[in-house]
Amino acid sequence: MSSNGEVLVRIKEVDKVFRRGSEDINVLTGLNLEVAKGEFLALMGPSGSGKSTLLNLIGGLDRASRGVVEIGGERVDQMSDRDLAGWRARHIGFVFQFYNLLPVLNAERNVELPLLLTHLAKAERHKHVDTALNVVGLAHRTKAYPRTLSGGEQQRVGIARAIVTDPTILLCDEPTGDLDRKSGDEILSLLQALNRDQGKTIIMVTHDPHASHRASRTVYLNKGQLFAEAPE
Amino acid sequence: MSSASNWLSQVFSVTSFGIRTLPERKGSALTTAIGIAGVTVVFVGVMSIAVGLRSTLMSSGRDDVAFVTRRGADSEMTSILTRDDSRIVGDVAGIARNDKGPLLSSELFVIINLPKRSTGSDANVPLRGVEGPASEVRGNVKIVAGRQIEPGRTELIVGAGAAREFSGLEIGRKIRVGKNDWDIVGIFTAEGGVAESEIWTDAAVLQGAYQRGTSYQSVQARLVSADKFDAFKDALTANPQLTVDVVRQKDFFAKQSANVGLIATIGVFIAAMMSLGALFGAVNTMYSAVAARGREIATLRALGFGASPVIISVLVESLFVALLGGVIGAAAAFIAFDGMTTSTMNFQTFSQVAFAFRVTPWLLGLAIGIALLIGFIGGLFPALAAARAPIAISLRET
Ligand SMILES: Nc1ncnc2c1ncn2[C@@H]1O[C@H](COP(=O)(O)OP(=O)(O)O)[C@@H](O)[C@H]1O
Ligand SMILES: [Mg+2]
C-alpha cells in the first residue's frame, strides 16, 4: 500500500458493532487498512459511514469488536484503559471539528495541557508551547482566550495542542468542517506543511473533496469497508 | 507517566478546570449550597439547645458538695427532712467550715407563677428558701446587683436567668407570694448554672409563709474535699436515726440532663431528614455539572488524562459546594443562636430552667463535617459516572 517503507498503522479484519437497544449496528465489517509513516491520508465517506468510529479505534478512544489494531508495532486493541491513556498522551495528537478548547484557559494554557502529562519542567513546557504556537502562526495571540479567537484561530490552537508533544500520528476529525472556505484552506495548508516539512503522519476525516486533494492519499469508507476509489 | 507527582499535577489541573467553570453553573451550585446550609443551620440550632442546656446542668454541680434528700424521694420536690435530720447531717465529720460555722444549707422550695417575658404567659419558677452559707456552699453564686437577703425578712434575690426570662423581677420591685409582698433586693449569677433560674429567700421565712413548720427538703453540705464524700455518705446512711439518700451535687444535676438526650435525638432526626433532601440536591447538581463538563472531561481524557483525576475533580467540586453551604449555614447559625437565651421545663422540679444556646467550635466542626459528608456522598456517583463515560460517546455529544 505504501511506497516509502515503514507501516505505522495496521488494521486487520476489524469489525465494529454498536448495540442500540436490542439492535446491532454493524458499522465496520472486516475492515483492512495500512498507513505508512509520513503519509497524509484523507478518509472520506458519507455521513454515518463510520469515519469517526474508525479514527477512534486508531486513536485508542474506542475498541474494535473484532480484529487487530496495531500502531507502531503496539497492539492498541489489547491495552488496558489505563495504559491506553498513557499511550494516547505519547503517540496521538487529536484535532477536533469543534476545536474542544477549554474556555477557561488561554491559548498558551490550552496548548500546554498535553505537556502536563509529561515530566517536562515549566520552562521546557513553555519552550514547546512557544514553538507549537509559532508553527501554527499564532505567536502573537498566546494570551488570548478561545472566545476572543476566530474559528480558524481556535483550530490553529487546537492543532498546536495536537503537535506540542510531537506525537507519532495526528488524527483530525473534520478539522475544517466548522470553518469557512478561506480559514479551512489555511488549516489544510498548515496540515500539509506539517506533513511535508516535519514528516508528520496525518489521518484526516473529511466530507470535502477539495480537502482530500491536499492529502497524499484518499480512501473511501462505504458499507463498513474501505475503497481506494470513490464509490458510484 | 505513572509517577506520583505527575498524577498529582493531573488531579490538580483537572480539578482547577472544574472549579474555574463553576461560575457558569452557579445557579444549581448555589441552590445545593443553600440546601446544605439549611441542614447545617437546623442541626446547629437544635444541637446548641442540647449543648447549652447540658452545660447549664453540668456546670451546676460540684464534686465536693453532698446533696442529701429523704431516702427514696426521686427528686428534691418529693423529699422531706426534719430540723433534726438537718442537725444530724450538720454534725457529721468532713464538712468544710468558715469563721461563721459549717458550710451547710438546709433548703426547701416552692413553685410560684410568674409571667414569661417572651410570651406573657405564666410559668413555674422555683422559689428556694436557703440558709446563710448557701452561696458559699455552691461556691459560684455571686451577687451582681443589689445585696444579699437578710435572715428573717421577706426579701428575695433573683437569679440572672430568671430575671432575664420573667418580667417584674427588677431590684426594688415587690412581688406578691402567698399573702405577703416580697422585696427584690439583689440579682445573682451562678456561672450559668441551674441556680440562676431560681429565686432565693430565707428558709425560715419561706417555711412560715408556706406553713412548712420546720421542715426542709434537702441539705447541701460543702465537704472539706471531694474525696471525703464516701466517708460522709457512709456516716449518714449508717446512722439509724436517719433515712436519707446522699449523692454528689454534680451527679444530682447530671441526672437531670436526661431530657437533653431527647432534644439531641430530635435534632439529629430532623437534620437527618433534611440531609436526605440536601443529598438529592447535591447528587442532582453534580450530575448536571458532570453533564455540563462532559465534553471537557472527554477531551482531557482523549489527551491522555486518567480516570482518577476526573473522579477526584468531581468530588472536590462537590465538597467545595458543600463546604460553602456548610460554612454559610454554620456562620448563620452562630450569629442567630449563639448566646440566645430561653428557658425550658426542668422535669425534675417542674419549673423553668433558663439557659443559653451554645454554638461551640466543636458543634460547628461537626456540622461542617456533616455538610462535607453530604457533598462527598452526593458527588461520588456522578464522579464515577463521569470517569466511566465512554470517551468516544462523550465527544460525539456536542
Ligand atoms: N457509541 C455509539 N453507539 C451507537 N451507535 C453509534 C455510536 N457511535 C457511532 N454510532 C453509529 O455508528 C455509525 C457511524 O458513526 P460515525 O463513525 O460517527 O460516522 P461518521 O463519522 O462517518 O459520520 C452511525 O450510524 C452512528 O449512529
Ligand atoms: Mg464523524
Side-chain angles (χ1 to χ4, degrees), chain B residues 54-235:
Chain B
R54 198 178 124 84
S55 116
T56 291
L57 294 173
M58 296 314 262
S59 69
S60 302
R62 295 176 64 114
D63 265 352
D64 60 354
V65 172
F67 195 97
V68 183
T69 50
R70 167 149 312 266
R71 177 168 307 160
D74 52 2
S75 73
E76 192 181 1
M77 203 158 58
T78 54
S79 165
I80 181 161
L81 297 173
T82 65
R83 192 206 310 237
D84 287 340
D85 293 336
S86 149
R87 198 171 296 139
I88 294 168
V89 173
D91 286 341
V92 175
I95 299 177
R97 309 178 64 88
N98 66 7
D99 48 0
K100 288 179 218 124
L103 294 184
L104 178 99
S105 173
S106 299
E107 304 183 353
L108 69 159
F109 77 93
V110 299
I111 285 169
I112 62 174
N113 274 305
L114 288 174
K116 275 191 149 188
R117 281 184 200 274
S118 53
T119 57
S121 58
D122 280 4
N124 294 340
V125 186
L127 170 58
R128 178 177 291 273
V130 300
E131 294 182 327
S135 298
E136 215 170 324
V137 167
R138 287 169 174 83
N140 59 0
V141 171
K142 266 210 297 280
I143 298 288
V144 292
R147 59 169 175 83
Q148 260 294 358
I149 43 176
E150 282 179 19
R153 301 173 71 161
T154 50
E155 290 179 347
L156 305 170
I157 52 173
V158 177
R164 201 169 52 223
E165 290 300 314
F166 297 94
S167 47
L169 295 179
E170 290 84 24
I171 294 177
R173 299 197 43 173
K174 292 176 189 297
I175 56 172
R176 190 164 187 88
V177 177
K179 297 189 195 71
N180 307 313
D181 284 331
W182 302 54
D183 292 304
I184 299 173
V185 300
I187 304 284
F188 68 92
T189 57
E191 290 175 356
V194 170
E196 275 186 23
S197 303
E198 298 177 338
I199 300 174
W200 285 6
T201 186
D202 180 44
V205 175
L206 192 61
Q207 285 171 334
Y210 276 78
Q211 281 97 41
R212 293 282 185 94
T214 56
S215 74
Y216 300 96
Q217 284 164 288
S218 65
V219 177
Q220 303 195 37
R222 175 79 157 272
L223 304 179
V224 177
S225 69
D227 51 25
K228 293 282 187 291
F229 175 81
D230 289 333
F232 181 82
K233 176 179 177 174
D234 292 345

Side-chain angles (χ1 to χ4, degrees), chain A residues 140-152:
Chain A
H140 59 296
R141 309 248 25 207
T142 55
K143 305 285 184 208
Y145 282 85
R147 65 174 180 284
T148 68
L149 296 171
S150 72

Side-chain angles (χ1 to χ4, degrees), chain A residues 51-52 173-174 205:
Chain A
K51 305 181 294 295
S52 297
D173 198 346
E174 307 198 30
V205 167

Side-chain angles (χ1 to χ4, degrees), chain B residues 168-379:
Chain B
L169 295 179
E170 290 84 24
I171 294 177
R173 299 197 43 173
K174 292 176 189 297
I175 56 172
R176 190 164 187 88
V177 177
K179 297 189 195 71
N180 307 313
D181 284 331
W182 302 54
D183 292 304
I184 299 173
V185 300
I187 304 284
F188 68 92
T189 57
E191 290 175 356
V194 170
E196 275 186 23
S197 303
E198 298 177 338
I199 300 174
W200 285 6
T201 186
D202 180 44
V205 175
L206 192 61
Q207 285 171 334
Y210 276 78
Q211 281 97 41
R212 293 282 185 94
T214 56
S215 74
Y216 300 96
Q217 284 164 288
S218 65
V219 177
Q220 303 195 37
R222 175 79 157 272
L223 304 179
V224 177
S225 69
D227 51 25
K228 293 282 187 291
F229 175 81
D230 289 333
F232 181 82
K233 176 179 177 174
D234 292 345
L236 289 182
T237 46
N239 188 329
Q241 293 171 275
L242 280 179
T243 47
V244 292
D245 284 328
V246 187
V247 295
R248 291 183 199 266
Q249 192 192 41
K250 186 188 192 113
D251 299 336
F252 174 80
F253 284 112
K255 224 175 65 187
Q256 299 185 0
S257 326
N259 50 350
V260 172
L262 180 68
I263 293 173
T265 307
I266 292 170
V268 167
F269 181 75
I270 296 173
M273 297 318 281
M274 287 185 65
S275 297
L276 219 59
L279 185 63
F280 281 116
V283 170
N284 238 315
T285 298
M286 291 320 294
Y287 268 120
S288 60
V290 162
R293 290 182 64 193
R295 184 148 79 111
E296 170 206 309
I297 289 173
T299 303
L300 289 170
R301 303 225 40 214
L303 298 182
F305 282 80
S308 55
V310 170
I311 295 177
I312 292 172
S313 105
V314 175
L315 277 179
V316 167
E317 181 173 326
S318 176
L319 288 172
F320 177 81
V321 170
L323 182 66
L324 186 73
V327 168
I328 291 173
F334 183 80
I335 293 166
F337 298 126
D338 191 47
M340 188 169 123
T341 56
T342 185
S343 61
T344 186
M345 183 67 107
N346 180 343
F347 291 100
Q348 293 297 307
T349 58
F350 281 97
S351 54
Q352 295 283 310
V353 52
F355 67 95
F357 286 49
R358 290 199 52 198
V359 181
T360 60
W362 177 86
L363 186 54
L364 291 177
L366 186 63
I368 289 175
I370 290 173
L372 288 176
L373 187 67
I374 294 173
F376 182 82
I377 299 173

Side-chain angles (χ1 to χ4, degrees), chain A residues 58-204:
Chain A
I58 298 170
L61 294 179
D62 203 354
R63 291 175 186 282
S65 310
R66 186 181 71 92
V68 175
V69 178
E70 193 181 290
I71 316 283
E74 290 190 89
R75 284 291 295 270
V76 177
D77 52 303
Q78 291 177 341
M79 284 185 202
S80 71
D81 282 351
R82 173 188 281 263
D83 290 343
L84 260 185
W87 176 84
R88 283 196 300 271
R90 284 189 304 274
H91 294 291
I92 304 293
F94 288 102
V95 177
F96 304 97
Q97 179 176 357
F98 300 104
Y99 333 125
N100 289 19
L101 303 178
L102 267 58
V104 294
L105 303 182
N106 65 21
E108 194 169 62
R109 295 273 167 219
N110 265 291
V111 175
E112 190 189 10
L113 273 178
L115 296 178
L116 298 177
L117 302 173
T118 68
H119 287 296
L120 293 181
K122 205 178 175 121
E124 282 178 284
R125 293 205 299 264
H126 276 186
K127 232 186 289 165
H128 284 76
V129 169
D130 285 346
T131 309
L133 281 168
N134 243 320
V135 168
V136 301
L138 273 184
H140 59 296
R141 309 248 25 207
T142 55
K143 305 285 184 208
Y145 282 85
R147 65 174 180 284
T148 68
L149 296 171
S150 72
E153 288 171 323
Q154 290 188 57
Q155 193 58 296
R156 285 166 188 275
V157 177
I159 292 170
R161 179 179 66 187
I163 61 173
V164 74
T165 53
D166 193 22
T168 314
I169 310 179
L170 275 191
L171 298 179
C172 314
D173 198 346
E174 307 198 30
T176 60
D178 198 43
L179 298 177
D180 58 56
R181 165 114 284 157
K182 181 169 170 295
S183 312
D185 275 344
E186 287 166 7
I187 292 297
L188 291 169
S189 301
L190 176 58
L191 292 175
Q192 223 173 359
L194 285 169
N195 172 252
R196 191 185 53 226
D197 305 339
Q198 307 195 6
K200 274 276 160 261
T201 308
I202 301 177
I203 302 178
M204 173 179 74

